[in-house]
Amino acid sequence: MKRIFYSLVLLCAGFIARADVQLPAIIGDHMVLQQKSKVTLWGWTTSPTETVKINVDWDTTHFKTKAVLGKWSIQIPTPAAGGNHQIEFQGSKNSIKITDVVFGEVWIFSGQSNMEWSGDQNLQETLDEMPNATNNQIRLFYIPKATSSYPQEDVRAHWVVCNPEAMKSFSAIGYFFGKELNQKLGVPMGLINSNWGGTPAEVWTPEDILAKKSNLWEAAKQLRPNAFWSVYPGLNYNAMIAPITSYTIAGALWYQGESNVGQYQTYAELMETMIGSWRTAFKNNFPFYFAQIAPYSKYGDNNLGAKLREAQTKNLAIEKTAMVVLSDLVPDVSNIHPTKKIEVAHRFASLALVKNYGQEAGPIFYPKYDRHRVEKGKIRIYFRELNGKLVAKDGDPSHLMIAGEDQKFYPAQGKIDGNTLLVSSPEVPNPVAVRYSFSNDAIPNLFSREGLPVNLFRTDHWDN
């Protein structure tokens, strides 16, 4: 606690040297404020009890608030989408005016490299899009990589009106998601990029919260140190999430998990903990949509990749979450970075359009295992969220395994029977368990009639 107090004293001392009213980086020119909401504006003053006046050009109210220990905040209502607006912040000695403020939808994008991937990694989809990327309706806020042992109050970033060079370095999924929502909703989009390739989910979760859960803390200890990214709990959260938790957002997209396959047993609880901690910090029960990790051949033995995907599926029990399945979007299973980011962004956008904005969009339901029944040497699989019949592309259903009481799995045949799947094998006359797509690199061929892939599943809970 003493170190935190001294850090705050030094932070305030820095502000004294500059001005008597100070704003965080995320409140600045070109920012997007969440429309039709009460947004928080905040900052610091050199005087512990300074009065700050806030004038906005969309409301005749004269807003003012008083700092407490040098920090102030105030909630201000925002109208429907639009712009260009100005806000003026006045203290007793200085004033700050920010311009080109617009109202729209604000989303944050976080995770590891598959969310980070952009034109900087020569992603062809981004490079092809660059000539079309000048768009005043899309604003980008790119938080640079940083770590901290203690929660920080600010970041070194600024809002940028979307242009080809800024878009090139921005999350491809984030940009294409924002572009589609801008086109479909006709409102400005504020896109916040906060990710770091290679990072496990522990570093995006507050340390003090993880420390209270012994199983999660012990799992975090098993993470191997790496020279290119942090593995200690909370370090990225402190520097790249905590400083913006007062900013009002519409929702979050998350693509991560590749670095946690070794912790698959605790991953579902870890993500539930992380999501809850973010929502608490933002004081906002915002939607949290995540991507299931894609097939990849180098996750090692024991189907670690499949077990992590299974853990991610369990997180769908968390309120206001949804998952996109990507098993059909992998041209090369030896590449941990699938290159089809536009389609991933489209699937995320469809979720948001339907669930957040009540619009019709592409399909959003990925068929999932519901229950099974043994029938004369076969097992019948029932699905939920199927919305019609099953479809097997390019032949019979693939990547099916079946086992008896001995727990030995054999390749199985599948037959679609309406909205169910019959699975059998002559090697297993008395089956008790079925697995579908349950390996690190399976690219299976079962889909809904609407064209979305069936999620992997297993009917057993065996360790093998």
Side-chain angles (χ1 to χ4, degrees):
M1 289 298 296
K2 288 183 178 180
R3 293 180 66 179
I4 294 175
F5 174 77
Y6 293 147
S7 296
L8 290 174
V9 169
L10 290 173
L11 184 64
C12 290
F15 293 154
I16 291 173
R18 296 194 291 272
D20 66 344
V21 173
Q22 183 77 15
L23 300 175
I26 200 167
I27 298 178
D29 295 342
H30 316 302
M31 72 174 173
V32 180
L33 292 176
Q34 182 63 34
Q35 66 166 331
K36 296 183 286 189
S37 181
K38 277 193 173 182
V39 302
T40 300
L41 303 177
W42 75 97
W44 306 272
T45 61
T46 56
S47 170
T49 59
E50 179 80 25
T51 295
V52 180
K53 298 177 181 178
I54 302 99
N55 295 312
V56 301
D57 66 2
W58 65 88
D59 195 314
T60 58
T61 304
H62 296 289
F63 297 98
K64 66 178 180 179
T65 185
K66 195 172 185 178
V68 176
L69 296 178
K71 184 171 183 178
W72 59 269
S73 68
I74 190 170
Q75 286 193 320
I76 292 179
T78 57
N84 166 319
H85 293 281
Q86 296 183 355
I87 307 176
E88 186 174 12
F89 302 86
Q90 296 179 337
S92 59
K93 296 181 181 178
N94 78 317
S95 65
I96 301 173
K97 180 180 288 186
I98 61 175
T99 62
D100 191 26
V101 176
V102 298
F103 309 114
E105 295 297 310
V106 182
W107 285 79
I108 185 171
F109 311 93
S110 191
Q112 55 183 108
S113 55
N114 272 307
M115 184 61 85
E116 180 183 359
W117 226 238
S118 69
D120 286 348
Q121 288 75 37
N122 292 317
L123 185 65
Q124 194 60 47
E125 290 181 336
T126 291
L127 299 178
D128 292 342
E129 173 68 12
M130 285 180 65
N132 307 314
T134 300
N135 189 339
N136 184 56
Q137 292 286 294
I138 297 176
R139 312 293 177 89
L140 311 176
F141 191 81
Y142 195 127
I143 298 176
K145 294 180 174 69
T147 61
S148 175
S149 298
Y150 304 99
Q152 298 299 294
E153 293 200 320
D154 207 357
V155 293
R156 294 184 177 181
H158 59 278
W159 286 99
V160 176
V161 176
C162 189
N163 62 75
E165 282 305 312
M167 171 267 185
K168 179 186 177 184
S169 299
F170 202 82
S171 161
I173 292 174
Y175 166 78
F176 287 112
F177 172 87
K179 179 182 179 181
E180 182 166 349
L181 261 60
N182 171 242
Q183 291 174 338
K184 298 289 178 60
L185 299 176
V187 304
M189 297 297 301
L191 311 180
I192 302 172
N193 187 98
S194 182
N195 44 64
W196 191 328
T199 49
E202 286 86 349
V203 304
W204 298 99
T205 308
E207 177 187 5
D208 60 334
I209 293 177
L210 278 188
K212 295 175 183 177
K213 300 190 175 187
S214 59
N215 58 326
L216 298 184
W217 192 255
E218 289 303 315
K221 290 181 180 179
Q222 305 306 313
L223 294 166
R224 296 180 180 180
N226 190 288
F228 298 99
W229 56 78
S230 57
V231 298
Y232 190 81
L235 292 189
N236 288 92
Y237 172 84
N238 290 340
M240 300 175 67
I241 298 296
I244 62 168
T245 53
S246 293
Y247 206 74
T248 303
I249 63 173
L253 301 189
W254 175 261
Y255 193 158
Q256 190 275 341
E258 297 90 341
S259 290
N260 279 108
V261 294
Q263 291 75 40
Y264 72 88
Q265 291 175 311
T266 55
Y267 188 80
E269 183 182 359
L270 171 62
M271 285 305 302
E272 183 177 14
T273 302
M274 191 203 84
I275 294 168
S277 70
W278 284 27
R279 288 172 170 171
T280 298
F282 277 89
K283 297 181 176 65
N284 181 352
N285 193 33
F286 55 80
F288 189 97
Y289 303 146
F290 56 94
Q292 188 182 69
I293 62 170
Y296 177 57
S297 61
K298 301 177 184 179
Y299 281 132
D301 299 331
N302 203 25
N303 298 322
L304 294 181
K307 291 177 179 177
L308 195 283
R309 294 184 202 107
E310 181 181 55
Q312 291 179 307
T313 304
K314 293 177 182 178
N315 284 136
L316 291 173
I318 303 171
E319 180 187 13
K320 298 176 74 171
T321 62
M323 179 178 74
V324 295
V325 178
L326 312 177
S327 57
D328 59 326
L329 301 179
V330 183
D332 178 8
V333 295
S334 67
N335 183 359
I336 200 171
H337 302 116
T339 55
K340 296 183 178 181
K341 303 303 187 190
I342 293 177
E343 178 59 25
V344 177
H346 170 66
R347 292 182 181 182
F348 272 131
S350 294
L351 280 176
L353 287 167
V354 173
K355 289 180 171 289
N356 283 59
Y357 304 110
Q359 294 207 356
E360 292 186 5
I364 64 170
F365 296 107
Y366 301 81
K368 300 172 183 66
Y369 166 79
D370 185 43
R371 65 190 190 280
H372 70 279
R373 186 174 69 191
V374 178
E375 299 179 355
K376 297 180 181 180
K378 300 179 180 180
I379 294 182
R380 185 181 297 273
I381 306 296
Y382 297 83
F383 298 89
R384 54 189 171 87
E385 298 185 324
L386 179 56
N387 283 1
K389 295 182 179 180
L390 285 170
V391 175
K393 295 185 178 180
D394 303 321
D396 295 327
S398 66
H399 293 85
L400 288 163
M401 304 291 286
I402 197 167
E405 293 286 356
D406 60 1
Q407 301 187 13
K408 293 182 179 179
F409 280 92
Y410 296 86
Q413 295 79 49
K415 179 183 178 181
I416 294 174
D417 186 14
N419 58 3
T420 67
L421 179 68
L422 279 171
V423 185
S424 63
S425 169
E427 301 290 336
V428 186
N430 299 303
V432 298
V434 168
R435 292 181 177 182
Y436 168 71
S437 187
F438 210 80
S439 66
N440 289 332
D441 58 358
I443 301 181
N445 68 343
L446 274 181
F447 290 79
S448 68
R449 182 175 56 186
E450 297 173 311
L452 292 183
V454 173
N455 189 37
L456 90 168
F457 66 85
R458 58 174 170 168
T459 65
D460 65 275
H461 300 284
W462 302 332
D463 291 334
N464 59 321

